[in-house]
Amino acid sequence: MLTALYTDLYRAGGREGTCLSVQTVKLVHMAVRKCLADAVDAGELRENPAAKSTRPTRDQHAAMALPGGGKGLRYLDRRQVRVLRSGLAPDQPVSPVIELAIATGLRRGELLGLRWPDVMPEGEADGQLRVRQTLVIVGGSPRFSEPKTAKSRRQFRLGDEGQRVLRQQRARQAEWRLSWPGAWGNDHDLVFTREDGAPLHPDAVSKAFRRIRDRLALSQVRFHDLRHTHATLALEAGLPVKVLSERLGHSSVQITWDTYAHVMPGQDVEFADRFDKHVYGTG
């Protein structure tokens, strides 16, 4: 039962059925093993079943994330991204969140935790995005927390489309402020809010995305899969894996390789052709 549990967690144990990392499942295993060891010490069990359970290896975990390998990695191709973007209503609060998710690969909580000083700081040129906090819901109320690791606390440059989304969002918030005289409030100076200035609820964002997805007859992707979409299309474009890994906030480049190995075979052929052309004048 424990072995099956660990496999299920690897495949779809995260929010919205996303994959959990090797390290996260390892921590679950350590907690379960300690609890059952205490039960053995207390005489409630003869032996610790967690000691005999097994967790998938890193290679097996990476395979689960591939299309057809389980419930893990799903993403939109370029045509589907164009369909999604064309189907977004500009007056809906969730639309710019979806746009920036595609443009940056940020996680849902990272997007909803963005503040205007993080993307348009006073006295600095536009274009730099800083991930400084995430939004979570605790007891029904929004709470902000710092990213857990130094890799998650990151900064990178936005492309023209990302900057366009932010400029339009700022103008949109200015209109909302006028529409809610005396009642509009954005106490946290958030980039993405409801029309009244209140923080967006993460679950509401995911539900709104699913409605848009179904209306446009797109594949059964989740909001989190926009992150996979960004990464996959970036690698298909030939962008460096190391740079992508840093922008996604992965703890190591190996995680990026393991997660998006489905893109690499085509890049391997392109690498060989470009190398031969550069060095030997062939290919």
Side-chain angles (χ1 to χ4, degrees):
M1 290 174 63
L2 288 174
T3 299
L5 168 66
Y6 299 148
T7 300
D8 288 342
L9 291 177
Y10 275 130
R11 283 177 170 164
R15 286 181 176 272
E16 299 185 350
T18 56
C19 292
L20 286 181
S21 68
V22 171
Q23 180 62 22
T24 299
V25 177
K26 178 181 178 181
L27 293 175
V28 172
H29 170 67
M30 291 171 62
V32 171
R33 185 176 60 186
K34 178 63 170 65
C35 290
L36 296 177
D38 290 344
V40 172
D41 292 342
E44 300 293 335
L45 293 175
R46 289 193 299 273
E47 58 182 352
N48 186 343
K52 297 183 178 181
S53 64
T54 59
R55 293 175 290 117
T57 64
R58 279 188 177 275
D59 289 342
Q60 291 171 327
H61 172 252
M64 291 175 190
L66 300 178
K71 300 179 181 179
L73 197 65
R74 286 174 275 185
Y75 53 90
L76 300 175
D77 59 27
R78 285 186 295 171
R79 182 195 65 79
Q80 291 172 317
V81 166
R82 289 193 289 269
V83 170
L84 173 59
R85 295 184 65 203
S86 65
L88 295 176
D91 59 337
Q92 292 298 313
V94 73
S95 295
V97 185
I98 294 172
E99 288 262 38
L100 205 66
I102 296 170
T104 64
L106 290 182
R107 301 175 179 90
R108 184 180 61 178
E110 293 171 341
L111 288 162
L112 300 184
L114 283 177
R115 301 171 303 145
W116 284 114
D118 298 328
V119 296
M120 291 184 175
E122 294 294 332
E124 295 186 27
D126 295 351
Q128 292 295 319
L129 183 149
R130 298 160 178 80
V131 179
R132 295 290 181 264
Q133 66 177 14
T134 62
L135 183 146
V136 296
I137 299 299
V138 179
S141 301
R143 295 287 185 270
F144 299 96
S145 63
E146 292 186 0
K148 295 179 180 179
T149 66
K151 290 284 188 179
S152 295
R153 296 186 293 273
R154 59 201 187 276
Q155 174 178 331
F156 56 84
R157 189 183 185 282
L158 283 171
D160 291 342
E161 280 301 302
Q163 294 182 51
R164 178 193 61 78
V165 170
L166 292 176
R167 287 194 296 270
Q168 290 183 347
Q169 176 63 5
R170 186 154 234 179
R172 188 179 294 112
Q173 281 191 344
E175 294 176 357
W176 289 344
R177 186 181 291 107
L178 294 176
S179 300
W180 291 73
W184 197 90
N186 185 1
D187 298 337
H188 303 286
D189 206 10
L190 297 175
V191 173
F192 300 116
T193 64
R194 299 186 330 202
E195 293 184 10
D196 61 358
L200 287 168
H201 195 292
D203 291 342
V205 169
S206 294
K207 290 178 182 178
F209 173 74
R210 288 196 293 271
R211 288 195 296 269
I212 295 170
R213 175 202 68 191
D214 293 343
R215 174 169 55 82
L216 297 174
L218 293 171
S219 57
Q220 294 298 300
V221 291
R222 306 146 297 184
F223 184 89
H224 185 81
D225 294 322
L226 297 179
R227 176 174 169 85
H228 298 320
T229 296
H230 172 84
T232 299
L233 296 182
L235 292 173
E236 286 180 354
L239 300 179
V241 179
K242 185 178 187 304
V243 176
L244 174 64
S245 181
E246 292 171 351
R247 291 170 70 100
L248 291 176
H250 285 167
S251 59
S252 72
V253 176
Q254 187 61 47
I255 291 177
T256 313
W257 277 98
D258 289 346
T259 305
Y260 301 106
H262 63 283
V263 188
M264 301 308 165
Q267 283 202 327
D268 185 53
V269 173
E270 182 183 1
F271 179 95
D273 292 343
R274 290 176 64 177
F275 182 87
D276 282 359
K277 184 176 182 179
H278 177 71
V279 177
Y280 309 116
T282 62

